[in-house]
Amino acid sequence: MHNITLVKGDGIGPEISDAVLKIIETAGVKINWDIQTAGADVIAQEGVPLPERVLESVKRNKIALKSPVTTPIGKGFRSVNVQLRKELDLFSNLRPCYNLPNVKTRYDNVDIVVVRENTEDLYAGIERQIDENTAESIKRITRSASERIAKFAFDYAVKNNRKFVTVVTKANICKLSDGLFLDSARKVAQNYDIPLKEILVDNCCMQLVQNPNQFDVLLLPNLYGDIVSDLCAGLIGGLGVAQGANIGTDYAVFEPVHGSAPDIAGQNKANPTAMLMSAIEMLNYIGENDAAARIKSALFRTLEDNIKTADLGGNASCSGFTDAIISRLV
Ligand code: ATP
């Protein structure tokens, strides 16, 4: 029996969480779920969007599966997602992007792994209002965090037989901050046989949409990592299928790349694939490889049978798609 925290989130969070839980339960994996709520809805009772009990739960269980929590735009509380990653020192954000069967995309054979630094850069939230018409955000980059994420990217590349790592920066403009990130990657690369390539983020975006097959592992600071992750999600069928994991030294939190999608929340339209793919990686992480493989195969066969949610051009509901996966589980 595994003890795992489930952060249910808001927006489409509860729907896709319920879908994934049902699939994992049917696959026969014994998990004692410690279900935690977070976000705008808990502020009324507990005063904060990320109560201490959520952090304590993840610290106790070491592993969490998390669905998205809405981040208010331009005002309101800081991102719960970002706060969780910082508080638990989940320094690496790992987002493998590859084509799924029968999901129509512009390119075949996309196989890119985005490794995004998760704790600093503009996400440190160091901002100030100088006067009514002027605001500043500090882009904070440290050598220790940059070397640690570079090492993670190279270790991942070695372990997963990847051919090279490309570090993505804007070091020609942000000479000090991105320069430090780049320099750290170069230093770390000296300890590995895998080559390091370098590219500027603007060129990287253009190259990705022109020929994504030229990339392997991408190593990025936090903000570029966020943006390029969504671009890569677009290459493989959109946010509904893009998985992710936040991994630190002590804890790991698995969550889809997408946000809470308030535009479709509560309508039984959400695609649970991104959350399910994240959960499959979680199952592999805890050693439930057989169940992970069976669930993945059921998901792939569902897509091959042309059962798809609206974001992929189909007409299955979230629950209909979930039931179709369950009926293919062996
Ligand atoms: P955040 O900044 O919190 O990551 P976001 O701005 O990236 O959020 P999302 O909430 O991810 O925005 O939604 C972006 C678009 O993608 C919306 O139109 C949403 O409906 C769609 N979308 C996101 N996730 C899914 C999903 N699982 N299934 C179907 N559509 C989705």
Side-chain angles (χ1 to χ4, degrees), residues 35-168:
I35 296 178
Q36 298 287 334
T37 49
D41 295 346
V42 307
I43 296 183
Q45 297 94 41
E46 299 177 67
V48 287
L50 182 63
E52 200 54 38
R53 62 172 166 75
V54 183
L55 295 167
E56 277 165 13
S57 167
V58 184
K59 285 181 183 165
R60 204 167 45 241
N61 297 320
K62 312 265 190 251
I63 310 275
L65 181 63
K66 178 180 162 297
S67 68
V69 177
T70 307
T71 305
I73 296 176
K75 59 179 167 54
F77 59 86
R78 279 188 62 204
S79 164
V80 166
N81 313 310
V82 173
Q83 215 183 325
L84 193 73
R85 293 170 196 161
K86 269 200 88 172
E87 297 272 348
L88 298 169
D89 200 23
L90 302 166
F91 64 89
S92 47
N93 192 311
L94 183 64
R95 295 174 161 180
C97 276
Y98 53 87
N99 294 101
L100 297 181
N102 199 25
V103 174
K104 199 173 165 313
T105 55
R106 280 176 199 275
Y107 301 97
D108 295 325
N109 305 318
V110 173
D111 185 10
I112 298 169
V113 178
V114 176
V115 176
R116 164 187 174 193
E117 202 288 325
N118 231 357
T119 61
E120 51 184 32
D121 194 356
L122 283 165
Y123 277 70
I126 314 168
E127 291 196 299
R128 61 179 182 152
Q129 194 81 39
I130 308 288
D131 61 41
E132 205 191 328
N133 299 310
T134 316
E136 281 182 354
S137 299
I138 308 273
K139 179 179 164 98
R140 184 185 173 82
I141 303 279
T142 64
R143 183 175 296 282
S144 57
S146 304
E147 285 189 357
R148 166 166 93 154
I149 192 67
K151 191 170 177 311
F152 180 92
F154 275 95
D155 285 341
Y156 179 90
V158 170
K159 210 170 150 199
N160 294 278
N161 296 317
R162 310 297 301 208
K163 298 206 165 40
F164 60 95
V165 174
T166 305
V167 60
V168 185

Side-chain angles (χ1 to χ4, degrees), residues 107 168 199-215 228 231 235:
Y107 301 97
V168 185
I199 193 166
L200 296 175
V201 65
D202 42 354
N203 184 23
C204 178
C205 291
M206 185 195 69
Q207 300 285 342
L208 275 167
V209 295
Q210 282 198 321
N211 176 15
N213 305 101
Q214 66 183 297
F215 291 103
V228 170
L231 195 163
L235 296 173

Side-chain angles (χ1 to χ4, degrees), residues 12 69 71 230 239-240 257-264 269-271 311:
I12 58 169
V69 177
T71 305
D230 274 25
L239 286 168
V257 170
H258 63 74
S260 60
D263 52 334
I264 54 165
K269 280 184 185 164
N271 185 350
D311 58 312

Side-chain angles (χ1 to χ4, degrees), residues 34 38 51 73 95 117 213 227 233 252 268 301 309:
D34 180 356
I73 296 176
R95 295 174 161 180
E117 202 288 325
N213 305 101
I227 297 165
N268 199 15
R301 273 183 294 120
T309 46

